[in-house]
Amino acid sequence: MIEIESYDFADDVDYAASQQQGSQSIMRSNSGKMKDPEGGEVVYVKDNVSIHPTQYMSERISGRLKLVKQDDSLFMMWIPYKGQNTNTRLSERDRNLYTIRPLPITDVRSIRRHTPPLGWQYLIVVLSSGLAFPPLYFYNGGVKEFLATIKQHVLLVRSADDANVFIVNDFQDPLQKTLSSLELLGVVPVVAPSSAAIAVSPTSESQEKMAECACDTNCGSEFIERPKYKVNDPARDFSIQLLEKFSLVTKFARETTSQLFRENSGENLFLSDGRKPNHIPALPAAPPKLPPNDVQKVSDEVHVPEDPLEFYKLALIWGNPRQPPLSQEEWGDFLDSEGRVVDSEALKKRVFYGGIAHELRKEVWPFLLGHYDFNSTYAEREYLRSARKEDYEIIKLQWQSISPQQAKRFTKFRERKGLIDKDVVRTDRSFSYYNGDDNPNINLLYDILLTYSFYNFDLGYCQGMNDYLSPLLFVMEDESEAFWCFAALMERVGPNFNRDQSGMQAQLFALSKYCLVHWQLVELSDSPLHDYFKQNDCLNYFFCFRWILMQFKRQCADIYFSSFAHHRELRYEETLLLWEVLWTHHLTEHLHLYVCVAILKKYRNKIMGDRMDFDTLLKFINELTGHIDIEPTLRDAEALCLCLGETGAACIPPGTPPSLPLKNALVSSQLEDEILGYTILRKVIADQIASAKEDDLVAFELVFRWEW
Amino acid sequence: MSYAYLFKYIIIGDTGVGKSCLLLQFTDKRFQPVHDLTIGVEFGARMITIDNKPIKLQIWDTAGQESFRSITRSYYRGAAGALLVYDITRRETFNHLASWLEDARQHANANMTIMLVGNKCDLAHRRAVSTEEGEQFAKEHGLLFMECSAKTAQNVEEAFIKTAATIYKKIQDGVFDVSNESFGIKVGYGGIQGNAAGVGTSTSQGGGCCG
């Protein structure tokens, strides 16, 4: 390993001052070895380090912070004092909850120092898992020594973006290694975000925003030409803020974990998978870790906190708890005496978190799809239904009246008819609603699809539309209503079926863009999965094609094995739930893309661990069919959505389906639509290229992958 | 299960010509008239034996509809063999062969072995494409040819195996660098190097293998 001359604390003004004043903290050199009762060597100890479990500064738990060296590893621990809580409301349980049991420093990602102009210094310790401990307030000083001691044992460097952030063991990037080894003492921060982090920043607009607040780092003290990056990269700041938000919610995480493990393991907190850490021989168990994948187990038990703000913070990590489906009674409450939906946003939100009881879908779906106006009354809807039924019959007559002689001279019609004819008998036939010979529902599928191909002749019919229609007909149980709901749905997902696949390409593109930003900002990593996809020619995200095309239909765990051996029965339960949640457009119009990311995240380690290439990955994704659990996936997707918020949303170019095309470019025919899609994509790609740095070929790769 | 080689196959052709049924007949030995249409791609696999060597066929069954062509093209890469299927009862599926072939030539490696399959030959009374026409097309374009029925299983086994035998012959003739996976061939541990658990421990006798 390269010897790295990193930040030297000797030139830190605060540090020097604290040294002069004679700090009360004890820094023990090797000569003054002190044994910790648990068997390690105590290299740092500080009293009166406290946390404030609530927003009130008066409520505080004080304790002793220690760094203990055992073998070659350094551990950090913080033990609250017994019976010294400043407030009686804080129980013994709280004490246990916050205790930091020996934690290997290697598990720490970063430490942020806060030096408020008034008040005490505090540190926030962020773990590599992304979770953070509550702020540790140093009432007796000692922050510098704490950092200096850590620095003696592990690599600790200042972040390039924020002089108060210290990154632990973060030297995977050879460039960073080189830079840091060339660094003058503490003059310039060393850890830079990778060039890729800047190459693909959210949008051109946010690029500009970034540029506005960016300061140039090209100061004279630098010896080598460094890639230009922005010291105050708001994206980077954002991620740090985000992690700090996480630190505020650790109380819930810890409470829950302790609840879960108290029964089994008494006082001891084990790793959340129940494993006892084996790398800390003589010391007690490590504090609970909550890696993202395991969070779900825990979160099922979480009670809804009363404080709405806390509730929101909690959602940042693992999404809000799912609710039971919207019931008949609740639905009634949403309507006024004449049948108007009084608060449509509240309704959408309710559906977003719980879905709809099956028997109500028929009533609520037309609103979600935009077939009914939320402001319409019972009477207006009744009228609309009959008027629309007549309209439907008229359109249907258009093709029904084509004589065989006329059809002979109408190739397009014959082709569509033939295709639909072949496809309706291959649509959800294992589902009882469509199985059996001469099933009349198959004929309804046929009539509706052919009628739609006349209603929207430009889009016509494409395989996959049948998959959207079959659940709609099953729910609506009425030909004309199913047709109009289908037509409304096609207003949204129709671009999935553009002949040139521009709608699909736009979504896959947005997905890849979002993923890159996500890995960098949220995972705080140099996006290993992205690099992995890049190396393995997977950056086109084609493996998500079917998910997006059919909005996860056939992917959800819809297939049940009945008691008869080998008899599979298809139900739609999961698909219907997912669809109605997506259709609410609550939080985002593109929740389906977040769902993709949630699933990829879940299997990321598997994908990379098994070194899947494009073919293997495609096969793996295919084999997930029927294994995607919707409720937890939705929570993950929601968390993703909340997590990156605007920054994430900005990765999705305007006009990406199911968003409507840009207003200033409304066009009528599909040909123009295609040109528009092409133009938008061209623009997006151009932006991407403009923001790309020399070694980042992502954008170029993407350009070459589109086959127009 | 160990294999000497793994061949990647791709099945292409118009929608509704019976691609998925051919695959199912080959892998499961059954005909299932009622099944969901293929979106994107589905996978199948089966072991066969050629020259006493266990060979695994990994088969990609693709969606036939025109709209999905751009995505289907990404599946060609690294395919060693292709079954190009048309329906002998529907003339248009035969007429479209040229465009499928063009896609294959453009997106697959030049040495991909292509078997032209005229499916549904059990429906002789509705035949719209003669056997001779199929043969002629194959000859003109350097393809293998066979008429099959996924329903009766006639020639299905043969179509897949004959393709594999041709690929195997190309390996023997040194056409491929089998260590380069872009040819759609993976060398397994069963029977060639004889260095792993499983079939045969002696090296192959045919000269010039193990390229």
Side-chain angles (χ1 to χ4, degrees):
Chain A
M1 168 130 185
I2 304 165
E3 188 66 36
I4 294 153
E5 186 71 40
S6 59
Y7 185 76
D8 189 323
F9 291 90
D11 75 350
D12 188 300
V13 183
D14 296 344
Y15 178 53
S18 69
Q19 290 291 79
Q20 279 163 14
Q21 285 161 10
S23 161
Q24 290 171 24
S25 64
I26 313 157
M27 268 181 82
R28 289 179 170 85
S29 65
N30 285 343
S31 57
K33 282 187 182 176
M34 202 173 130
K35 282 285 175 191
D36 186 74
E38 277 104 357
E41 177 198 340
V42 181
V43 291
Y44 171 93
V45 59
K46 191 78 204 170
D47 278 311
N48 265 330
V49 176
S50 310
I51 62 150
H52 295 276
T54 65
Q55 55 184 307
Y56 306 108
M57 288 305 276
S58 59
E59 290 187 3
R60 133 182 169 191
I61 303 174
S62 297
R64 173 178 290 175
L65 180 68
K66 283 197 274 191
L67 288 171
V68 178
K69 196 180 157 195
Q70 185 167 63
D71 300 327
D72 285 329
S73 306
L74 189 68
F75 297 88
M76 166 188 162
M77 56 201 288
W78 179 78
I79 312 288
Y81 303 128
K82 279 208 163 86
Q84 276 193 18
N85 296 325
T86 50
N87 190 304
T88 44
R89 279 173 54 197
L90 297 171
S91 61
E92 197 65 5
R93 189 169 139 257
D94 284 317
R95 248 176 43 84
N96 285 326
L97 199 58
Y98 290 105
T99 300
I100 301 176
R101 294 187 164 77
L103 165 83
I105 288 295
T106 47
D107 282 0
V108 173
R109 159 95 200 166
S110 66
I111 301 171
R112 178 165 182 154
R113 177 181 62 178
H114 289 256
T115 313
L118 294 170
W120 290 273
Q121 284 200 349
Y122 63 94
L123 292 180
I124 291 180
V125 176
V126 179
L127 301 179
S128 6
S129 63
L131 287 175
F133 289 112
L136 291 166
Y137 287 81
F138 287 66
Y139 282 91
N140 286 354
V143 168
K144 299 292 150 210
E145 299 89 321
F146 178 72
L147 293 169
T149 311
I150 291 178
K151 188 186 152 269
Q152 284 172 4
H153 294 86
V154 296
L155 194 58
L156 186 72
V157 289
R158 282 199 183 199
S159 156
D161 310 302
D162 187 331
N164 282 314
V165 174
F166 298 86
I167 316 264
V168 181
N169 288 324
D170 183 44
F171 277 77
Q172 290 123 7
D173 184 342
L175 175 65
Q176 290 175 11
K177 273 188 191 170
T178 319
L179 288 175
S180 63
S181 59
L182 289 170
E183 206 70 61
L184 281 186
L185 300 179
V187 178
V188 186
V190 292
V191 179
S194 76
S195 53
I198 294 150
V200 186
S201 45
T203 59
S204 52
E205 291 95 309
S206 58
Q207 276 279 313
E208 283 155 24
K209 267 188 240 155
M210 283 187 186
E212 279 167 29
C213 53
C215 341
D216 204 330
T217 57
N218 280 348
C219 55
S221 61
E222 280 181 289
F223 276 22
I224 56 163
E225 184 113 31
R226 295 164 36 151
K228 272 196 190 181
Y229 58 84
K230 293 132 187 172
V231 166
N232 292 334
D233 184 346
R236 194 77 178 183
D237 280 354
F238 167 80
S239 60
I240 289 165
Q241 282 166 20
L242 182 75
L243 288 170
E244 291 182 356
K245 273 187 190 165
F246 285 178
S247 83
L248 300 173
V249 299
T250 34
K251 183 173 182 207
F252 291 112
R254 310 190 114 226
E255 269 176 346
T256 319
T257 321
S258 64
Q259 273 168 18
L260 279 181
F261 292 102
R262 199 178 309 125
E263 290 160 22
N264 298 333
S265 49
E267 277 271 301
N268 275 343
L269 291 177
F270 290 80
L271 294 174
S272 57
D273 58 2
R275 211 164 24 94
K276 230 181 176 169
N278 52 12
H279 54 287
I280 319 173
L283 296 166
K289 274 208 217 168
L290 290 169
N293 284 349
D294 289 342
V295 156
Q296 196 54 48
K297 270 190 255 171
V298 172
S299 59
D300 290 341
E301 305 287 324
V302 173
H303 302 295
V304 180
E306 282 157 29
D307 177 358
L309 187 67
E310 299 277 62
F311 185 67
Y312 175 75
K313 287 184 223 143
L314 190 63
L316 269 179
I317 295 186
W318 47 63
N320 287 300
R322 303 288 307 166
Q323 295 168 17
L326 175 78
S327 67
Q328 186 75 51
E329 201 182 348
E330 283 175 281
W331 169 235
D333 293 342
F334 276 104
L335 301 171
D336 70 10
S337 58
E338 291 182 303
R340 294 181 194 87
V341 176
V342 185
D343 185 347
S344 61
E345 288 311 311
L347 173 67
K348 289 180 194 170
K349 193 172 168 187
R350 177 65 185 85
V351 173
F352 182 91
Y353 287 112
I356 305 169
H358 185 71
E359 59 279 10
L360 265 183
R361 286 187 167 124
K362 199 197 307 198
E363 266 181 85
V364 185
W365 276 19
F367 289 97
L368 294 181
L369 288 167
H371 173 44
Y372 292 161
D373 193 300
F374 286 105
N375 280 321
S376 61
T377 61
Y378 292 122
E380 284 164 347
R381 292 199 290 272
E382 192 52 47
Y383 171 77
L384 186 77
R385 250 194 304 275
S386 66
R388 288 300 197 148
K389 192 167 172 56
E390 281 175 33
D391 293 344
Y392 173 72
E393 293 300 336
I394 291 168
I395 308 165
K396 190 173 165 184
L397 258 179
Q398 291 175 0
W399 61 265
Q400 283 184 328
S401 62
I402 294 174
S403 68
Q405 285 72 26
Q406 191 188 352
K408 244 181 205 170
R409 299 172 183 82
F410 197 170
T411 311
K412 201 136 202 169
F413 171 66
R414 283 200 319 274
E415 280 174 6
R416 279 184 191 177
K417 205 166 162 303
L419 194 53
I420 294 169
D421 199 29
K422 277 197 155 301
D423 287 354
V424 290
V425 295
R426 298 190 285 173
T427 307
D428 292 343
R429 295 300 296 278
S430 41
F431 180 38
S432 52
Y433 194 74
Y434 293 110
N435 72 9
D437 295 336
D438 303 320
N439 185 320
N441 294 327
I442 299 279
N443 298 334
L444 289 180
L445 287 179
Y446 175 85
D447 287 357
I448 296 172
L449 287 171
L450 200 49
T451 306
Y452 182 77
S453 90
F454 272 71
Y455 172 72
N456 187 346
F457 202 85
D458 292 335
L459 189 59
Y461 169 76
C462 178
Q463 290 183 340
M465 286 185 177
N466 56 332
D467 272 301
Y468 278 107
L469 177 61
S470 54
L472 277 173
L473 180 62
F474 165 69
V475 165
M476 301 308 296
E477 295 177 300
D478 176 272
E479 184 178 352
S480 157
E481 287 290 285
F483 172 84
W484 289 109
C485 282
F486 177 72
L489 179 57
M490 284 302 124
E491 289 301 305
R492 299 177 178 192
V493 299
N496 286 11
F497 303 107
N498 286 351
R499 264 163 299 166
D500 66 351
Q501 292 289 293
S502 55
M504 286 301 298
Q505 305 272 25
Q507 290 171 84
L508 291 168
F509 179 76
L511 179 62
S512 94
K513 206 168 175 217
Y514 173 83
C515 279
L516 177 58
V517 172
H518 170 83
W519 311 129
Q520 284 171 340
L521 295 189
V522 178
E523 312 281 309
L524 276 189
S525 60
D526 291 334
S527 53
L529 189 65
H530 179 87
D531 293 343
Y532 181 82
F533 283 164
K534 193 169 163 181
Q535 283 161 22
N536 290 281
D537 279 331
C538 298
L539 263 195
N540 52 26
Y541 282 76
F542 274 180
F543 48 87
C544 296
F545 180 85
R546 203 152 66 167
W547 291 351
I548 294 175
L549 187 86
M550 307 209 289
Q551 297 208 322
F552 300 93
K553 188 180 171 218
R554 299 206 211 165
Q555 309 301 314
C556 309
D558 279 339
I559 296 164
Y560 294 88
F561 288 88
S562 81
S563 47
F564 301 103
H566 305 302
H567 181 76
R568 292 194 319 168
E569 200 192 359
L570 188 71
R571 293 170 208 264
Y572 292 129
E573 274 319 308
E574 299 262 276
T575 304
L576 302 190
L577 170 66
L578 176 63
W579 280 7
E580 61 208 10
V581 171
L582 296 179
W583 296 343
T584 61
H585 286 189
H586 176 65
L587 295 183
T588 171
E589 291 184 337
H590 300 100
L591 189 71
H592 64 299
L593 298 181
Y594 293 90
V595 171
C596 293
V597 183
I599 302 170
L600 290 177
K601 247 169 92 78
K602 186 173 175 195
Y603 294 103
R604 175 179 52 180
N605 291 344
K606 169 108 183 119
I607 292 168
M608 291 171 63
D610 291 1
R611 304 229 37 93
M612 297 185 189
D613 57 9
F614 178 79
D615 287 12
T616 322
L617 179 59
L618 195 66
K619 194 157 178 284
F620 173 73
I621 299 270
N622 256 27
E623 284 161 2
L624 287 181
T625 299
H627 296 284
I628 296 171
D629 261 342
I630 286 311
E631 299 273 3
T633 308
L634 276 174
R635 286 185 70 159
D636 291 347
E638 185 205 355
L640 285 166
C641 197
L642 292 172
C643 219
L644 270 183
E646 291 293 309
T647 317
C651 302
I652 301 169
T656 301
S659 300
L660 296 174
L662 299 180
K663 263 194 184 142
N664 56 3
L666 276 177
V667 283
S668 50
S669 82
Q670 200 201 346
L671 182 66
E672 280 168 305
D673 249 337
E674 289 170 7
I675 293 165
L676 176 69
Y678 177 59
T679 314
I680 293 171
L681 216 53
R682 278 276 296 273
K683 161 116 180 51
V684 168
I685 292 167
D687 288 349
Q688 184 118 351
I689 293 171
S691 62
K693 293 288 176 277
E694 60 247 286
D695 64 337
D696 194 286
L697 295 172
V698 177
F700 302 101
E701 280 185 27
L702 286 167
V703 173
F704 289 124
R705 296 212 167 275
W706 306 127
E707 297 170 53
W708 290 97
Chain B
M1 203 198 265
S2 66
Y3 53 80
Y5 291 113
L6 181 146
F7 296 163
K8 174 178 166 179
Y9 273 26
I10 179 167
I11 312 183
I12 51 176
D14 276 12
T15 181
V17 295
K19 297 182 292 296
S20 302
C21 289
L22 281 169
L23 175 62
L24 192 70
Q25 182 58 261
F26 179 64
T27 57
D28 287 29
K29 299 194 187 305
R30 64 194 169 96
F31 177 67
Q32 192 180 349
V34 172
H35 62 92
D36 285 354
L37 61 86
T38 309
I39 300 277
V41 65
E42 295 290 345
F43 294 89
R46 210 190 105 178
M47 295 292 292
I48 57 169
T49 307
I50 292 185
D51 193 20
N52 289 322
K53 305 267 184 318
I55 289 173
K56 182 174 177 176
L57 301 184
Q58 188 198 69
I59 305 150
W60 294 44
D61 169 29
T62 67
Q65 188 171 349
E66 181 69 27
S67 310
F68 299 136
R69 283 278 190 106
S70 65
I71 184 107
T72 309
R73 288 183 193 119
S74 70
Y75 306 143
Y76 285 90
R77 191 175 42 180
L83 262 59
L84 171 54
V85 188
Y86 67 95
D87 175 353
I88 64 150
T89 70
R90 283 194 296 144
R91 183 90 206 164
E92 68 273 19
T93 65
F94 181 76
N95 294 341
H96 293 155
L97 289 177
S99 92
W100 282 110
L101 211 50
E102 194 186 313
D103 261 11
R105 298 273 190 241
Q106 214 172 341
H107 299 277
N109 81 71
N111 287 311
M112 181 169 78
T113 302
I114 303 175
M115 166 71 78
L116 180 65
V117 175
N119 191 30
K120 309 196 187 179
C121 70
D122 56 297
L123 302 175
H125 57 288
R126 281 167 47 191
R127 183 185 279 278
V129 183
S130 71
T131 308
E132 292 70 30
E133 281 175 291
E135 267 167 2
Q136 183 60 27
F137 185 92
K139 203 173 158 193
E140 274 169 25
H141 295 89
L143 318 175
L144 302 168
F145 175 67
M146 214 159 240
E147 281 192 349
C148 307
S149 165
K151 190 174 181 179
T152 66
Q154 185 190 338
N155 275 346
V156 172
E157 189 92 357
E158 289 79 353
F160 281 91
I161 289 174
K162 202 174 159 195
T163 309
T166 308
I167 298 168
Y168 183 76
K169 173 98 181 16
K170 285 184 183 173
I171 296 174
Q172 302 287 303
D173 294 346
V175 175
F176 298 122
D177 166 11
V178 290
S179 64
N180 181 345
E181 288 188 0
S182 71
F183 289 112
I185 297 160
K186 278 183 190 166
V187 181
Y189 294 112
I192 293 289
Q193 277 85 0
N195 57 351
V199 197
T201 49
S202 64
T203 47
S204 164
Q205 297 181 359
C209 89
C210 317

